[in-house]
Amino acid sequence: MTIRTMESLYLMFLQEAYAEGEPVSTVIHPDFRKLENYDRDNGSELAPTLCAYLKSNRNISEMAKLLHISKSAGFYRINQIRDLLDNPFSDRIRMICYECSEMLMEM
C-alpha cells in the first residue's frame, strides 16, 4: 500500500482539475481556507499575509513593505501562521502547493 501525503494528493488533484477545466476556487490549498476562516473569526489578516510572503519570495522585510506593516508585525504574523498550520514553512512540497494556490488566486 502506498502512503501519500495531503500535498502529493493536492498536486495530483490540481493537475486533474486543470485538465478538466474546474473553477480555480476548487483547487486552492485547504490551508488558505483555514486561514480565511480564522481571519473572519478573529479579525486578523493571516491569509493576505501568507500571500504577501509568497509574493515577496518569502522575504519578511519585503512582505512587510507590501502590507505596510513593521517587520516585527510581519514576524508576529508569520509565527501565527506557523502555529496555526503546524509549521508549513519547513515542508518544501507544502510550500510549492501554497505557491500554486497563491498564483491561482491571482488569476
Side-chain angles (χ1 to χ4, degrees):
M1 179 171 92
T2 303
I3 298 176
R4 298 187 188 273
T5 65
M6 204 301 269
E7 281 69 27
S8 67
L9 291 173
Y10 171 75
L11 291 173
M12 289 170 42
F13 172 73
L14 184 64
Q15 184 179 23
E16 279 183 34
Y18 178 78
E20 294 174 10
E22 289 288 326
V24 169
S25 61
T26 62
V27 295
I28 303 302
H29 194 283
D31 283 354
F32 279 95
R33 301 292 179 233
K34 184 175 182 176
L35 290 177
E36 288 170 350
N37 291 335
Y38 182 87
D39 288 346
R40 186 188 61 246
D41 294 344
N42 295 283
S44 57
E45 296 183 4
L46 300 182
T49 298
L50 180 55
C51 287
Y53 182 66
L54 296 169
K55 284 179 195 171
S56 63
N57 295 314
R58 304 178 197 175
N59 181 311
I60 292 181
S61 295
E62 292 300 315
M63 177 201 74
K65 288 178 190 174
L66 282 174
L67 296 173
H68 306 289
I69 61 174
S70 68
K71 247 174 50 171
S72 62
F75 277 108
Y76 177 76
R77 289 183 185 184
I78 290 298
N79 284 328
Q80 282 185 298
I81 293 167
R82 180 176 285 123
D83 292 344
L84 282 170
L85 302 181
D86 193 29
N87 196 17
F89 306 115
S90 64
D91 184 337
R92 184 179 65 84
I93 300 298
R94 197 171 186 189
M95 292 305 293
I96 291 169
C97 293
Y98 288 176
E99 296 273 356
C100 291
S101 291
E102 190 278 321
M103 286 186 272
L104 288 168
M105 289 188 290
E106 289 214 342
M107 296 176 88

